[in-house]
Amino acid sequence: MQLIPCPWCGPREETEFHYGGQAHVAYPEDPSALTDQEWAQYVFFRDNPSGPFAERWSHSAGCRRWFNAVRDTRTHDLLSVHRIGEPVPDLGEKDEVVS
Amino acid sequence: MTADIGIRTSPLAAWTDRLAALEPALTAVERPFLTQLTVRVSDPVAVAGMGGALGVAFPAHPCTSTRGRGPFGDVEVLWLGPDEFLVVAAPDSSVPVEDALRTALRPARGVVVDTSAQRTTVALSGPHARDVLAHGCAVDLHPSVAPTGTCVQTLLARTGIILRVADAGSGAFTVLVRSSFAEYLAAWLSDACVEYRAALS
């Protein structure tokens, strides 16, 4: 089974984790000013890259903390994990790591 | 319809005999009604103060626990999260321990909640304790990576547990399991022990 490295607990089995979708999707500063199309874009539309992807995970059966991870969507490799509040990883740099 | 609160029945009261039958491969004993207090606090001064009140310093690192003796007897403090701890003390001591922790917490922000009824405790030891746990739990419990005091929250046979390494040398563990899952876990332990009971008899 795939091991996911929780930034608090260390590597644990994938079944202990819960997936939270794309990370770093900012809430609109003034939601009421958005058009319906812009709001739909914020609520429903997410990136779907082939390669490194910053996403949220929760260690739901362990420390129950949310964290961010960069996962390669082609290989399912977890390239890096970081705690909430730690800086956003540079996806461009990570791209070079992937063969 | 009245509830008789004078009589308590522990979640595994009906399993005492069946757990005892697992000897000598596995010694599984329920430790019912332990006082358990969930503490949420992130202020380091308050954490140190609460440790002082219990006579046991709170664990400083993830997935560890501390144990010691203080004014409330033997107390264990388990790390559950970066700002979350579980204080485990003797049965029926929740009120004085809670009061002491609340006093030590002030003026920082945090919570102390009595969660004693949420979980029951099963103490596991014996020559095959580690083997039996390995049947349902992927966490590496070898003494070199899980020394005495290691405390992890994980899944054992798909049941959420808190697993504390009580003594890495002899292979003694403490498992805290939700009360409603306790009988399932006891049944699973009995089943997982079958091959070791045959080998020893």
Side-chain angles (χ1 to χ4, degrees), chain B residues 43 45-46 102-110:
Chain B
D43 182 62
V45 177
R102 285 239 171 88
T103 308
L105 172 63
R106 288 186 204 112
R109 297 203 307 179

Side-chain angles (χ1 to χ4, degrees), chain B residues 8-20 30 32 182-183 186-187 190:
Chain B
R8 293 191 295 186
T9 305
S10 70
L12 290 178
W15 281 80
T16 310
D17 293 344
R18 277 172 282 185
L19 289 178
E30 188 192 15
E183 287 195 304
S190 304

